[in-house]
Amino acid sequence: MSSDGVDLNGAEPSVHDVVVVGAGFAGMYMLHKLRGLGFDVAVVERASGVGGTWYWNRYPGARCDVESMQYSYSFDPELEQEWEWSERYSGQPEILRYANHVADRYDLRRDIRFETTVTQVDWDDADNQWRLQTDRGTYLARFMVMATGCLSTANVPHFDGAETFEGPTYHTGRWPHEGVDFSGLSVGVIGTGSSAIQAIPVIADECLELTVFQRTPNYSVPARNEPLDASDQADWKANYRERRARMLTQQAAMVQRLPDGEDLAKEASATEFDERMQERWDVGGFTFYRAYSDIGLDAESNGRVAEFVRGKIAGIVDDPETAAKLTPHNTIACKRPCLDTNYYETFNLSHVHLVDVSETPIDRISAAGVVVDGQEYPVDALVYATGFDAMTGTLLRMNVTGREGARLADHWDAGPRTYLGLGVAGFPNMFTVSGPGSPSVLTNMIPSIEQHVDWIARCLVDLRERGAATIEPEADAEAYWVDYVNAVANLTLFPTCNSWYLGANIPGKTRVFMPLPGFPPYVEICEDVASDNYRGFALA
């Protein structure tokens, strides 16, 4: 950008009221909402289509772990009624079709600049506006909304020799759109997190040999996916308003198939405990973790539930040595809980092999495969199921600078700092949808997204009516909120695990618990802040 405001390639900048970064479910709804309120909005998106997470994550078995009837927009009752879901848990292709349907229905694409990557973002103190430099030109906007997603930057770990591998390599978060045919191939999968737990059974059905390299075993419970019964879908549609309202009262913004248990696991008799947990295991899904009120709060109760799952693993996996390797011994549900379809059963197949790399890590990648403790495991293709640089990775890669050139990377050097997960001190007129410090990944993401988008839209309307030029969190309010998030997290068992919630999967990343447990109290706080003249924000 030159001093006269002309883009470096000679073109005039594109000027708007608001620029939204990202065209996933957050960016699409933000565009629709603000456009309806009379704002001039542009969306920039590095992909060639909408869908965000569901555009990129096309790996075999990719599926939502929230039930279809709840993982959908609620802002338009007509949209709710017209869309038909086919399964209890929708697969990636169906969710992407839904995202494209939304984009078509509300004519969103005309304001989305696809295949556009943000390379630099700077606040102009003199003009009170943001300058977004992209690989396809510059954008000027008074307001910027980061709808970049919590899981949008793939984590590709460094292994010596990786560049020498002669076969194809894939990352579950960057899967080829044309798909991959593993027929007749020997495949190696590195990782046993959520995406691996979904992908491994599907890859195993197709490939000749499958070798899984596991550093940390994960707990998983059955999803019990099945075709969505027509009467069940009709019942949801007939009662959507009441059930949507009830979702907003739930800790994770979703209602379960069985009522939440209000008693304590540690006080249950052996018979009652086993019967209740077995019922939840048979029903499948996250209702398993809502069997008792203290599973995520009390170590004794948590240990009892963990032992139940360990028993299931031992009963499912035929080989005792393999079962032992697959059995976790840490706190259950302190990481994002995994749901599966025949994950543990897959390791009973004769062509599926498990290599434990917890004590003897991967030495290197060779031209022909993976070397562990001096032994080479030959593979024709290699899959990295190694997750994401969660919640902060994408934001920090855009080189954002705020007032007086302050770098977001420096502001977050000791961990992400926000106020309400919606804004950052020193970065005026910048909003983060599902940012660090909000419930985000601990919830059903779409209700969380809608709550943030609605709050931001209300804020922008209020600023317009008041004639205010800028809004930004006060430093004291931001500091208070960081302490509050950590205090709430420390009341739970979440911080007891080295999970991506803390950034523990990224070497060198400061370990700070990033999301806020408890959706309903958070919503009340946000509403109270806005109603109290945006308490904790400075308006100019």
Side-chain angles (χ1 to χ4, degrees):
M1 176 70 69
S2 65
S3 59
D4 60 0
V6 176
D7 191 276
L8 292 177
N9 63 13
E12 290 292 327
S14 184
V15 182
H16 305 274
D17 296 329
V18 185
V19 168
V20 178
V21 182
F25 282 101
M28 287 197 296
Y29 182 42
M30 192 83 253
L31 169 60
H32 173 69
K33 183 79 174 183
L34 291 181
R35 204 163 64 180
L37 294 169
F39 289 93
D40 176 8
V41 186
V43 179
V44 293
E45 167 57 59
R46 63 188 172 96
S48 61
V50 299
T53 292
W54 303 106
Y55 175 93
W56 296 106
N57 287 265
R58 302 171 185 237
Y59 59 84
R63 185 175 302 280
C64 190
D65 54 11
V66 176
E67 299 198 20
S68 303
M69 299 306 295
Q70 300 184 58
Y71 191 80
S72 57
Y73 286 123
S74 68
F75 68 84
D76 187 343
E78 291 185 5
L79 175 64
E80 288 178 332
Q81 296 299 320
E82 71 191 20
W83 185 261
E84 296 285 321
W85 296 102
S86 66
E87 296 180 273
R88 177 179 175 182
Y89 302 94
S90 298
Q92 177 272 334
E94 186 168 24
I95 299 173
L96 187 59
R97 286 196 297 273
Y98 175 70
N100 278 288
H101 172 75
V102 172
D104 292 338
R105 192 185 196 284
Y106 303 103
D107 190 22
L108 301 181
R109 288 185 178 83
R110 63 182 167 91
D111 291 318
I112 304 174
R113 279 61 165 172
F114 294 109
E115 299 180 330
T116 301
T117 300
V118 177
T119 57
Q120 181 73 39
V121 181
D122 301 295
W123 172 255
D124 187 321
D125 286 307
D127 293 336
N128 282 339
Q129 64 181 356
W130 284 100
R131 295 180 175 182
L132 285 82
Q133 184 68 43
T134 76
D135 58 355
R136 301 184 68 179
T138 298
Y139 294 80
L140 302 180
R142 182 176 166 197
F143 299 99
M144 177 173 63
V145 178
M146 293 298 193
T148 49
C150 297
L151 302 172
S152 52
T153 295
N155 171 39
V156 183
H158 171 75
F159 292 109
D160 290 341
E163 70 283 354
T164 69
F165 181 64
E166 294 180 350
T169 61
Y170 309 98
H171 190 286
T172 50
R174 299 176 179 172
W175 206 258
H177 292 188
E178 64 274 14
V180 179
D181 183 4
F182 289 121
S183 301
L185 299 181
S186 175
V187 180
V189 175
I190 297 176
T192 52
S194 182
S195 60
I197 284 173
Q198 291 186 331
I200 284 169
V202 181
I203 295 175
D205 282 345
E206 185 176 311
C207 70
L208 180 66
E209 294 285 334
L210 176 62
T211 304
V212 178
F213 300 89
Q214 172 188 268
R215 182 179 64 180
T216 307
N218 269 298
Y219 296 99
S220 186
V221 304
R224 307 296 184 198
N225 189 41
E226 59 188 358
L228 189 58
D229 184 83
S231 61
D232 190 23
Q233 183 157 203
D235 179 62
W236 263 91
K237 289 186 175 184
N239 297 281
Y240 244 141
R241 293 301 91 198
E242 179 271 329
R243 292 183 186 174
R244 294 287 197 192
R246 185 148 53 96
M247 287 164 61
L248 300 183
T249 69
Q250 303 300 301
Q251 179 177 336
M254 66 181 90
V255 295
Q256 306 296 345
R257 294 207 168 196
L258 295 174
D260 288 358
E262 298 181 357
D263 47 345
L264 307 181
K266 62 184 178 183
E267 295 180 355
S269 69
T271 299
E272 191 280 332
F273 177 85
D274 288 343
E275 288 179 352
R276 186 181 302 189
M277 298 314 299
Q278 184 63 49
E279 178 187 26
R280 306 251 168 177
W281 182 270
D282 292 340
V283 169
F286 290 140
T287 192
F288 181 83
Y289 297 102
R290 307 298 297 169
Y292 293 94
S293 63
D294 60 343
I295 293 174
L297 304 174
D298 183 86
E300 181 181 347
S301 291
N302 186 280
R304 199 173 183 185
V305 175
E307 189 58 34
F308 179 89
V309 178
R310 293 184 194 116
K312 288 295 184 183
I313 298 171
I316 293 171
V317 181
D318 296 335
D319 177 56
E321 183 179 346
T322 302
K325 290 178 181 178
L326 288 167
T327 301
H329 292 282
N330 59 325
T331 307
I332 192 170
C334 59
K335 302 180 179 182
R336 175 80 176 192
C338 297
L339 306 183
D340 73 87
T341 299
N342 298 326
Y343 172 66
Y344 296 116
E345 290 87 345
T346 299
F347 291 92
N348 292 329
L349 302 174
S350 60
H351 71 290
V352 177
H353 318 287
L354 181 65
V355 179
D356 184 0
V357 297
S358 59
E359 295 184 3
T360 53
I362 293 172
D363 296 335
R364 58 188 174 88
I365 307 294
S366 67
V370 181
V371 180
V372 179
D373 198 23
Q375 179 180 348
E376 182 179 66
Y377 296 86
V379 296
D380 301 314
L382 195 56
V383 175
Y384 290 97
T386 49
F388 300 88
D389 186 352
M391 303 194 74
T392 62
T394 303
L395 288 169
L396 294 178
R397 281 164 173 75
M398 290 190 290
N399 303 310
V400 181
T401 67
R403 288 198 183 278
E404 300 178 355
R407 298 173 65 244
L408 182 62
D410 293 335
H411 190 66
W412 284 3
D413 183 58
R417 303 176 61 82
T418 73
Y419 181 44
L420 305 179
L422 282 162
V424 181
F427 294 80
N429 294 2
M430 182 180 84
F431 299 94
T432 52
V433 180
S434 303
S438 71
S440 58
V441 292
L442 300 180
T443 69
N444 177 359
M445 285 297 300
I446 295 187
S448 282
I449 284 169
E450 289 185 314
Q451 184 259 334
H452 264 197
V453 167
D454 290 343
W455 193 96
I456 293 167
R458 171 186 174 182
C459 180
L460 294 187
V461 169
D462 287 346
L463 294 175
R464 181 172 63 187
E465 292 177 351
R466 299 181 190 195
T470 62
I471 183 172
E472 64 182 294
E474 297 170 346
D476 288 348
E478 181 184 78
Y480 160 79
W481 190 252
V482 172
D483 290 343
Y484 176 77
V485 172
N486 280 280
V488 173
N490 288 333
L491 295 174
T492 75
L493 298 175
F494 280 121
T496 63
C497 282
N498 286 327
S499 69
W500 57 259
Y501 291 154
L502 291 93
N505 61 322
I506 305 298
K509 187 170 181 176
T510 303
R511 297 191 182 187
V512 175
F513 195 78
M514 293 182 284
L516 172 69
F519 181 71
Y522 171 80
V523 174
E524 292 179 11
I525 291 170
C526 289
E527 290 303 303
D528 184 56
V529 165
S531 298
D532 190 17
N533 197 32
Y534 295 95
R535 185 180 67 251
F537 288 92
L539 281 68

